[in-house]
Amino acid sequence: MNINHKGVLKLTKMEKKFLRKQSKARHVLLKHEGIQAVSYPTQSLVIANGGLGNGVSRKQLLLTLEKCGPVEALLMPPNKPYAFVIFQTIEESKKAYFTLNGKEIIDDLGQKIFLYLNFVEKAQWKNMGLEALPPGLLVVEEIISSEEEKKLLESVNWTEDTGNQNFQGSLKHRRVKHFGYEFHYESNTVDKDKPLPGGLPEVCSSILEKLLKEGYIKHKPDQLTINQYEPGHGIPAHIDTHSAFEDEIISLSLGSAIVMDFKHPEGVTVQVMLPRRSLLVMTGESRYLWTHGITPRKFDTVQASEQFKGGIITSDIGDLTLSKRGMRTSFTFRKVRRMPCNCSYSSVCDRQRKATPPSLTESSKEALELEQKHVHQVYNEIASHFSSTRHSPWPRIVEFLKALPSGSIVADIGCGNGKYLGINKDLYMTLCRIMKNFKNVILFLVF
């Protein structure tokens, strides 16, 4: 900051940039989250770019904050690009505000992040998470020993001839092996009349006998799928086909822990931590009604408490952090169904659903209702989070816009939240949003 010849304070280019960034962070938090920043010092600060959604862990952020004084509480909402901190005194909060604003840190992925802090009257967050596992779901920790885990992993030979698709194959982002029966992904079923030679691996026998004896399963499985996941990869949400397999589906997590997402048809989502060497048991409602899947990402949001290992990830934002994924191998056992499924979940049961395909909508009103429910409503639900994670313009785009001659006309088609507006004020910038209905495509121009 300099003083010009008239005695007026003049901000440097970097200071102006910092104030713009800080102001933008303030407006984004107010617009998308309803968090109101205040102009006077308080004990509480909101830290833009310092959230779990940015790849910043609790330990990493605490080490940075505690240099300014003792932290009374650090609140980190899941998947959000910001966090709240409460210091013991206002003086310590002011020190953090002036010391850390605009400070560069390196996140857990090795990327540079700049923190922008604003005072808030009160640090709070409404917890909306479900605190119970889906009915019929069970997670058993340390179901096998480290020695048993090693034997299971060493028994999988991924280097054998992959030409025999009955035994081994490659899917997008993961390798798979099938035993007992080959699982056909195009139909999510098995050919019950074509068992694979050899049955299940002998190394699994003692473990399955143990699970039967201890009551975790009632039927001895006859089909096994082994999946190997690279860090950062996942599997789409799905329900194992009702008519193909019996009620019990069990899975061993080997090599690394993972967070699996379970979702009810009404929209309730539960995130469940599956520790290394744990057993997941799905029966009843959790097996037949809830979808399960693994979101592709390199870090999972988990409980920070040391005593926490497996089960539901609670919504306690004062106890969440990041866990880096490793190479994970899952052994998923199923029992092929021989009798028709007679479950109580006909709406998602492939046997009980009507064989005739759903009819096309017969009126414009029905089409509009479908569009409102499955397009507009979905976009409204994800808009805030989508926008909050798209706050940084891509450097190459910025470079391109700044290189254009003054007076150029630019149309940003599919503009999202318009983050490139104002990059070069000498341009005539047009934001274009595309909306599609059942009959045509409409291009909206926003000047």
Side-chain angles (χ1 to χ4, degrees):
M1 188 178 294
N2 301 312
I3 300 177
N4 63 18
H5 66 283
K6 294 182 180 180
V8 178
L9 291 176
K10 186 178 180 181
L11 298 176
T12 65
K13 187 176 180 180
M14 287 299 295
E15 288 170 334
K16 288 180 180 178
K17 180 181 178 181
F18 159 72
L19 289 175
R20 285 198 307 270
K21 293 282 189 180
Q22 188 189 34
S23 176
K24 182 179 179 181
R26 233 178 1 251
H27 289 304
V28 168
L29 287 165
L30 178 61
K31 179 180 179 181
H32 298 296
E33 308 294 349
I35 300 169
Q36 177 72 61
V38 296
S39 57
Y40 50 87
T42 66
Q43 288 177 251
S44 303
L45 292 160
V46 60
I47 310 167
N49 294 347
L52 297 173
N54 292 96
V56 179
S57 68
R58 175 173 296 273
K59 181 179 179 181
Q60 180 185 19
L61 190 56
L62 265 177
L63 287 173
T64 302
L65 294 170
E66 287 176 338
K67 293 176 182 178
C68 300
V71 171
E72 188 171 293
L74 176 59
L75 309 179
M76 303 184 76
N79 306 316
K80 295 295 182 179
Y82 56 82
F84 299 97
V85 60
I86 306 173
F87 284 95
Q88 291 186 356
T89 68
I90 290 181
E91 288 304 313
E92 292 160 349
S93 181
K94 286 170 63 177
K95 182 179 179 181
Y97 180 87
F98 289 110
T99 304
L100 303 180
N101 240 320
K103 179 180 175 62
E104 174 188 307
I105 65 171
I106 306 298
D107 68 10
D108 284 11
L109 292 175
Q111 298 173 328
K112 293 181 180 179
I113 287 180
F114 292 89
L115 304 178
Y116 296 100
L117 287 71
N118 283 287
F119 292 110
V120 290
E121 185 61 46
K122 189 176 181 181
Q124 58 184 359
W125 181 259
K126 185 183 290 185
N127 290 333
M128 300 297 289
L130 189 68
E131 304 298 334
L133 290 172
L137 190 70
L138 178 66
V139 178
V140 187
E141 299 175 18
E142 296 292 337
I143 191 67
I144 60 174
S145 66
S146 56
E147 290 77 16
E148 289 174 311
E149 178 189 41
K150 184 179 180 182
K151 287 181 181 178
L152 286 170
L153 290 173
E154 289 177 347
S155 72
V156 187
N157 181 11
W158 294 109
T159 61
E160 68 184 37
D161 180 19
T162 59
N164 188 345
Q165 294 298 315
N166 287 333
F167 291 93
Q168 179 171 326
S170 293
L171 298 176
K172 188 177 182 181
H173 303 317
R174 72 184 193 273
R175 294 192 291 184
V176 298
K177 293 177 77 74
H178 304 294
F179 297 88
Y181 292 84
E182 181 186 0
F183 186 87
H184 299 287
Y185 291 96
E186 68 278 5
S187 59
N188 290 329
T189 59
V190 296
D191 189 337
K192 301 176 184 180
D193 297 323
K194 292 183 179 180
L196 297 175
L200 271 55
E202 182 62 31
V203 69
C204 301
S205 297
S206 60
I207 295 172
L208 293 176
E209 290 297 335
K210 173 184 175 182
L211 298 180
L212 282 164
K213 184 178 180 180
E214 296 185 6
Y216 293 119
I217 55 176
K218 297 177 182 177
H219 309 285
K220 188 173 183 178
D222 54 11
Q223 194 275 334
L224 166 64
T225 297
I226 302 176
N227 287 282
Q228 186 184 72
Y229 298 87
E230 296 279 349
H233 296 155
I235 186 171
H238 65 284
I239 298 174
D240 284 55
T241 308
H242 290 202
S243 62
F245 306 109
E246 291 286 355
D247 183 24
E248 301 165 339
I249 294 178
I250 61 174
S251 185
L252 287 169
S253 290
L254 310 178
S256 177
I258 199 73
V259 170
M260 183 171 283
D261 302 320
F262 288 81
K263 189 171 183 178
H264 190 276
E266 294 181 356
V268 176
T269 300
V270 177
Q271 294 188 316
V272 180
M273 178 68 165
L274 306 180
R276 183 175 179 177
R277 295 189 294 277
S278 69
L279 176 72
L280 172 70
V281 182
M282 291 185 290
T283 60
E285 185 176 312
S286 67
R287 147 66 173 123
Y288 289 121
L289 186 62
W290 293 63
T291 64
H292 61 278
I294 298 171
T295 303
R297 56 189 174 218
K298 294 189 176 181
F299 289 86
D300 283 318
T301 300
V302 301
Q303 307 297 145
S305 304
E306 292 185 4
Q307 64 270 23
F308 176 83
K309 291 185 179 179
I312 191 168
I313 306 295
T314 70
S315 54
D316 180 6
I317 62 173
D319 187 37
L320 295 180
T321 189
L322 296 177
S323 174
K324 189 175 183 179
R325 288 184 181 177
M327 177 77 77
R328 175 177 176 266
T329 302
S330 66
F331 278 55
T332 300
F333 298 91
R334 307 175 181 92
K335 174 70 173 176
V336 173
R337 184 184 290 278
R338 298 296 175 181
M339 299 295 291
C341 179
N342 60 353
C343 69
S344 305
Y345 310 98
S346 58
S347 62
V348 290
C349 181
D350 60 304
R351 174 186 173 269
Q352 299 181 58
R353 283 193 304 237
K354 292 182 180 179
T356 55
S359 60
L360 297 175
T361 55
E362 298 178 356
S363 68
S364 298
K365 182 179 178 182
E366 290 179 26
L368 287 171
E369 289 175 351
L370 283 171
E371 183 179 21
Q372 178 64 36
K373 179 179 179 181
H374 297 291
V375 180
H376 296 279
Q377 184 175 327
V378 171
Y379 276 99
N380 285 335
E381 289 176 356
I382 69 172
S384 295
H385 178 261
F386 178 90
S387 180
S388 68
T389 59
R390 272 115 178 128
H391 47 75
S392 299
W394 291 2
R396 291 290 179 88
I397 305 297
V398 172
E399 182 181 334
F400 168 75
L401 291 174
K402 289 185 176 180
L404 292 175
S406 178
S408 297
I409 299 175
V410 178
D412 187 352
I413 299 175
C415 63
N417 59 3
K419 65 184 178 183
Y420 296 108
L421 186 65
I423 294 294
N424 186 344
K425 296 187 177 180
D426 294 328
L427 305 177
Y428 293 99
M429 194 85 169
T430 301
L431 305 184
C432 308
R433 294 194 181 97
I434 298 175
M435 292 188 65
K436 185 176 181 181
N437 60 23
F438 288 92
K439 293 183 179 180
N440 51 32
V441 175
I442 306 171
L443 185 66
F444 288 92
L445 304 182
V446 184
F447 295 90

